[in-house]
Amino acid sequence: MRQLLSSEIVEGNEERYQFTWPDKRKAILAANAPINATLRPCPEESVNFDTTQNLYIEGDNLDVLKCLKETYLHKVKMIYIDPPYNTGNDFVYEDDFAESASEYLANSGQFDEQGNRLVTNTESNGRFHTDWLNMIYPRLKVARDFLTEDGVIFISIGEEELYNLTNICNEIFGVSNYISTISRVAKTASNMGDFFASSVDYILCYAKDINHTKKFKGEVDASLYKKTETSGMRKGEKYRDDIAFFQSGLKHGGSRYPIVCPDGEIVNTPNSKPWRTSEATFLQWKENGTIIFKETKTSPLINEVTGEKAHWNIYTKSYLKDREEKGTQPRNLLTEYINRKGADLIKTYGIPFDFAKPLELIIFLQAILNDKNALILDFFSGSATTAHAVMQLNAEDGGNRKFIMVQLPELTDEKSEAYKAGYKNICEIGKERICRAGAKIKEENPEKAQNLDTGFRVLKLDSSNMKDVFYSPKETSQLELFRYVDNVKDDRTSEDLLFQVMLELGATLDSKIEESEVDSKTIFNVGDGYLVACFDQKVTDEVVTAIAKMQPTYAVLRDTSLANDATATNFEQIFKTYAPNTTTKIL
């Protein structure tokens, strides 16, 4: 009050520029906090489980990202996410809640894997922006580590959280790595809004390290190129390309100098418009055959001798092939990718869903990276438009892009058309779309899509495969020890354990897995000998020897696997004999 009423008093701590909100420190801790979870394979819901290199993962995306982090560190070229815009009804978040799960489920509630209630974020909530910020911050912080040094992230967002998201990204990715804010016309007609109709949303684009990021490459408009009588083989070139584009030599910049035309006329530019290049470069272009002299009555040039209008104009010739290799700089104002296209497209596959992003938009973002082998991650997968775009673009340009989709299995509204059509959660919609889109792409592109990967391995987030004693032995009393003779949970399979150790030992979840049998025991060979494992009981010296002779990088067995004390005693010696460089692990 004293400060408000005085023109001289200034109290309080010295200010500094910062972006903060309530519980920001908790959001930072959430990004760094360890988890006791794993990803369990689900072959029965997968497509081409044994051969595909694509992944579809169900579960809370923060925990999934933490599970994947060590294995996929610096391996993802592009992240695209379409998080909730925080409009008041599209944001489902965790809420610690005293009511029991059974009571809340009776009221049609949803819970995440940790038992936290999932509720929508309404504008009446006093923490409206805070809750959204606490949701998005840890996810972006963890996701940054997935990007390659030349990787980029695209984030779709509405005006509700554009300012806050920009500040978060500036903090996590760095202001210097900001590339652009792309404006996109999302709707061509709208009655929403009190003053202006809401028709635009945005895509924030940041680099992992802008100094390593390749320049984006947009499509070249081939309609600008045409065959001409002056096209043909260039000096020193071994190929002929008759498609050329003529560009006037008059552009601002450069310098003025006289040029001799074919009939001897000496021409120059008007004083206010210098040539767009230096004289040395012009002479080099002329020598290479990329300068065109054309007689005209409307030349913008002047006769250097008389000062009158010249009879010649001068053009440069560029070839379509060169332009396509170099590409063009894509626009950051997108007008052709409206939301209705996305909703209409997914409905053509017999899936009623109103909130799909336009397929062409995601194809555009993937294409400008100019990387046909990119690994692309979307951890707000929704209807799996990103996966669809990967398959479509691969079919068009022969690429080998791979996708990782992550989606929380949010329940569909019982009143929605999707629910009535049998889709109980969003994951069911996404997986079905990939299946139907993949089949249609192959049908429409039989030659190009011959080797196209339209499959995906389904994995589901779950609690750890290991009993509590495995992670907290100090908290286990002696009286309980006999309950933990086997430290693996009773309902877990050998495949569950295999995918757990794949994550722990750095084998990507799309790795090739081969099975073989020795002495009636199943042996898993992952990544052509990177990891070999056996989780069966009563493993004999014969099985251990067979594994050792494969000389894998890692060999894994269960703590209770070995048949007897003799095998346990021989285990180390067998590996010293046949595979001295193999790292062994007992689970």
Side-chain angles (χ1 to χ4, degrees):
M1 180 65 75
R2 290 196 309 140
Q3 185 170 308
L4 288 173
L5 296 175
S6 172
S7 61
E8 300 176 0
I9 299 174
V10 177
E11 296 179 335
N13 296 328
E14 189 70 24
E15 302 91 344
R16 66 184 179 88
Y17 182 80
Q18 60 180 335
F19 178 61
T20 190
W21 63 89
D23 292 338
K24 181 179 180 180
R25 283 181 294 180
K26 288 184 179 179
I28 295 173
L29 289 174
N32 299 326
I35 59 168
N36 185 9
T38 192
L39 300 177
R40 301 178 65 185
C42 190
E44 64 273 14
E45 296 183 22
S46 305
V47 175
N48 302 329
F49 184 89
D50 293 332
T51 58
T52 185
Q53 294 185 298
N54 301 316
L55 300 177
Y56 190 97
I57 305 175
E58 298 185 23
D60 176 80
N61 51 17
L62 179 57
D63 285 350
V64 171
L65 290 174
K66 289 181 179 181
C67 285
L68 297 174
K69 182 177 175 180
E70 293 301 321
T71 301
Y72 287 90
L73 194 69
H74 306 158
K75 291 182 179 177
V76 174
K77 179 63 177 285
M78 168 182 160
I79 297 174
Y80 171 78
I81 56 171
D82 181 21
Y85 284 12
N86 204 19
T87 59
N89 54 18
D90 66 340
F91 171 31
V92 178
Y93 72 102
E94 293 180 355
D95 180 29
D96 292 326
F97 192 62
E99 188 176 20
S100 71
S102 59
E103 290 173 333
Y104 192 71
L105 284 172
N107 295 323
S108 300
Q110 297 184 58
F111 287 81
D112 67 5
E113 288 80 3
Q114 284 71 44
N116 295 317
R117 183 174 71 146
L118 298 176
V119 298
T120 53
N121 189 31
T122 60
E123 292 188 35
S124 60
N125 175 17
R127 293 166 52 91
F128 182 66
H129 292 288
T130 295
D131 285 332
W132 190 89
L133 290 166
N134 287 329
M135 179 277 297
I136 199 68
Y137 185 91
R139 287 158 174 81
L140 291 178
K141 192 166 180 63
V142 175
R144 180 185 180 277
D145 293 333
F146 283 71
L147 289 172
T148 58
E149 285 304 301
D150 62 345
V152 294
I153 183 170
F154 297 100
I155 311 172
S156 285
I157 197 65
E159 60 186 11
E160 295 85 359
E161 297 294 349
L162 175 63
Y163 172 79
N164 287 331
L165 181 61
T166 301
N167 282 320
I168 283 181
C169 289
N170 285 341
E171 180 174 320
I172 293 175
F173 297 96
V175 176
S176 62
N177 291 315
Y178 169 76
I179 292 178
S180 184
T181 300
I182 304 169
S183 299
R184 180 180 73 97
V185 176
K187 303 172 185 176
T188 54
S190 174
N191 293 321
M192 303 295 290
D194 295 329
F195 299 98
F196 290 99
S198 178
S199 59
V200 177
D201 68 8
Y202 306 90
I203 303 172
L204 285 180
C205 179
Y206 282 79
K208 172 71 172 294
D209 184 343
I210 203 164
N211 295 313
H212 290 90
T213 303
K214 298 176 184 176
K215 298 295 185 288
F216 292 164
K217 179 180 173 182
E219 290 187 3
V220 173
D221 186 356
S223 66
L224 297 176
Y225 292 76
K226 58 184 179 181
K227 288 185 179 182
T228 70
E229 70 280 0
T230 52
S231 299
M233 189 175 297
R234 289 175 292 176
K235 187 174 181 179
E237 296 290 347
K238 296 181 179 179
Y239 66 87
R240 178 179 175 84
D241 186 347
D242 284 334
I243 308 299
F245 171 70
F246 290 90
Q247 185 177 54
S248 173
L250 283 173
K251 277 197 173 183
H252 294 291
S255 57
R256 296 184 75 249
Y257 47 86
I259 294 177
V260 180
C261 296
D263 67 351
E265 182 181 18
I266 301 173
V267 300
N268 210 329
T269 64
N271 290 331
S272 61
K273 293 184 177 181
W275 299 110
R276 67 187 178 96
T277 189
S278 68
E279 185 174 11
T281 300
F282 167 78
L283 292 174
Q284 183 180 359
W285 286 354
K286 184 179 179 183
E287 176 70 15
N288 289 339
T290 55
I291 292 295
I292 303 298
F293 292 90
K294 196 168 185 180
E295 287 189 273
T296 177
K297 295 181 180 179
T298 58
S299 175
L301 306 179
I302 61 171
N303 185 302
E304 179 82 352
V305 178
T306 65
E308 298 177 352
K309 183 176 288 190
H311 300 97
W312 294 88
N313 200 359
I314 303 173
Y315 298 85
T316 57
K317 179 172 62 175
S318 65
Y319 287 81
L320 177 60
K321 180 175 179 179
D322 293 339
R323 283 294 181 92
E324 286 180 332
E325 289 176 354
K326 185 178 179 181
T328 60
Q329 196 170 22
R331 295 171 295 133
N332 67 351
L333 171 61
L334 306 178
T335 59
E336 61 269 49
Y337 307 123
I338 61 172
N339 286 344
R340 177 47 53 191
K341 288 185 178 181
D344 290 345
L345 176 64
I346 193 172
K347 288 176 181 177
T348 64
Y349 293 98
I351 302 174
F353 190 71
D354 292 327
F355 307 106
K357 275 289 182 287
L359 178 67
E360 295 81 5
L361 169 66
I362 314 303
I363 290 176
F364 165 77
L365 297 177
Q366 292 177 14
I368 63 176
L369 294 182
N370 193 30
D371 185 346
K372 293 184 178 181
N373 296 301
L375 175 59
I376 296 169
L377 168 65
D378 184 345
F379 52 90
F380 284 95
S381 171
S383 65
T385 304
T386 301
H388 188 167
V390 168
M391 297 186 295
Q392 182 67 48
L393 187 56
N394 281 343
E396 291 175 5
D397 66 8
N400 188 36
R401 300 169 188 84
K402 297 180 289 185
F403 64 74
I404 301 176
M405 301 292 105
V406 183
Q407 177 60 42
L408 181 73
E410 297 175 37
L411 301 180
T412 52
D413 190 321
E414 292 185 6
K415 297 178 182 179
S416 68
E417 292 300 317
Y419 183 89
K420 294 174 184 177
Y423 299 102
K424 305 307 180 195
N425 62 56
I426 303 299
C427 291
E428 292 179 2
I429 292 173
K431 288 181 290 187
E432 186 62 22
R433 178 185 186 170
I434 299 173
C435 291
R436 298 187 184 187
K440 188 172 182 180
I441 291 170
K442 283 191 169 182
E443 180 185 338
E444 294 176 346
N445 304 271
E447 294 183 7
K448 291 184 179 179
Q450 224 170 16
N451 300 314
L452 183 67
D453 184 0
T454 57
F456 53 92
R457 281 183 179 174
V458 174
L459 298 105
K460 298 187 179 184
L461 184 70
D462 206 334
S463 60
S464 170
N465 296 316
M466 315 306 291
K467 295 177 181 177
D468 292 340
V469 66
F470 184 80
Y471 295 103
S472 54
K474 290 182 179 180
E475 298 175 13
T476 305
S477 68
Q478 290 183 342
L479 295 175
E480 295 176 299
L481 286 177
F482 287 107
R483 291 169 46 201
Y484 297 114
V485 173
D486 188 352
N487 57 8
V488 176
K489 291 177 180 176
D490 297 334
D491 63 337
R492 302 307 164 96
T493 66
S494 294
E495 287 76 11
D496 292 335
L497 297 177
L498 178 65
F499 275 80
Q500 174 184 321
V501 296
M502 285 170 65
L503 281 173
E504 292 174 352
L505 299 178
T508 57
L509 298 179
D510 62 342
S511 298
K512 182 174 70 172
I513 302 172
E514 297 175 308
E515 293 184 27
S516 60
E517 275 198 10
V518 176
D519 195 19
S520 301
K521 309 301 178 187
T522 301
I523 295 176
F524 297 98
N525 184 338
V526 179
D528 294 322
Y530 177 79
L531 164 65
V532 176
C534 179
F535 303 109
D536 290 341
Q537 302 290 344
K538 297 182 180 180
V539 171
T540 62
D541 284 3
E542 181 183 358
V543 177
V544 175
T545 302
I547 293 174
K549 285 184 176 180
M550 295 180 186
Q551 297 184 336
T553 305
Y554 294 97
V556 183
L557 289 89
R558 282 177 66 167
D559 187 38
T560 57
S561 289
L562 302 180
N564 50 51
D565 291 342
T567 301
T569 303
N570 295 335
F571 177 84
E572 187 174 345
Q573 189 58 47
I574 291 172
F575 273 93
K576 280 185 178 179
T577 302
Y578 295 105
N581 296 320
T582 294
T583 300
T584 58
K585 179 180 176 65
I586 300 297
L587 196 61

